[in-house]
Amino acid sequence: MSERLQPGDPAPAFTLPDADGNEVSLSDHQGRKVIVYFYPAALTPGCTKQACDFTDNLELLAGAGYDVIGISPDKPEKLAKFRDTESLKVTLLADPDKKVLDAYGAFGEKKNYGKTYLGVIRSTIVVDENGTVERALYNVRATGHVAKIIKDLGI
């Protein structure tokens, strides 16, 4: 289990397959700000709400210079179904071995109904144009989170 990222840290580099199996790297977005969000599972109610919120606000975020990437441990086939079922416009990446989730501090101990287990920690990392962490938000709520980010970023 890795440490959580802090503002000023270099964002860990990654290359992962998208919903269509194409490789996408953080470095592909050099020169643009990137909102990288981590969610537990495609096609679940909270994750669907969050992905739809990002999609609904994608034009506003893109206009302010932000790209949006969602990462989960799902396989590309499930991400494609998620994208198509919900008409998502955000880039969805697959991290089944959880290496990127771990590098970003988005995988670790969680508590639910008194039980402790390992899982995806719903997190959002804002990376600046130079690949530096601008904001690192952990244990975020699926609902209302995108509106809060927009407000916090002054968009």
Side-chain angles (χ1 to χ4, degrees):
M1 206 166 74
S2 65
E3 292 292 308
R4 291 183 170 186
L5 296 175
Q6 301 295 324
D9 288 347
F14 62 78
T15 300
L16 292 170
D18 68 7
D20 298 315
N22 301 313
E23 299 278 305
V24 176
S25 299
L26 181 61
S27 59
D28 296 342
H29 299 269
Q30 189 78 29
R32 289 198 41 95
K33 294 184 179 200
V34 186
I35 296 170
V36 183
Y37 79 96
F38 298 91
Y39 62 99
L43 300 166
T44 58
C47 298
T48 298
K49 173 79 178 111
Q50 187 178 23
C52 288
D53 276 356
F54 271 119
T55 293
D56 292 346
N57 289 286
L58 197 57
E59 215 170 285
L60 177 69
L61 291 164
Y66 290 91
D67 295 335
V68 179
I69 297 173
I71 299 177
S72 75
D74 298 306
K75 300 227 179 304
E77 303 78 42
K78 187 173 180 187
L79 296 180
K81 185 176 180 192
F82 186 34
R83 177 195 61 204
D84 298 344
T85 303
E86 301 299 335
S87 303
L88 301 175
K89 304 261 184 292
V90 296
T91 300
L92 300 174
L93 301 182
D95 186 21
D97 62 9
K98 303 175 189 73
K99 284 195 172 115
V100 177
L101 283 154
D102 197 44
Y104 277 76
F107 188 81
E109 275 191 8
K110 294 174 69 167
K111 280 190 165 59
N112 198 11
Y113 301 112
K115 290 193 171 164
T116 302
Y117 63 98
L118 288 178
V120 176
I121 298 162
R122 193 181 301 276
S123 312
T124 301
I125 311 299
V126 179
V127 181
D128 72 12
E129 305 88 341
N130 304 312
T132 303
V133 174
E134 193 175 289
R135 291 168 193 265
L137 309 162
Y138 292 93
N139 295 310
V140 300
R141 297 203 166 282
T143 307
H145 177 60
V146 176
K148 183 180 179 337
I149 289 174
I150 290 168
K151 183 175 172 238
D152 290 352
L153 294 174
I155 300 171

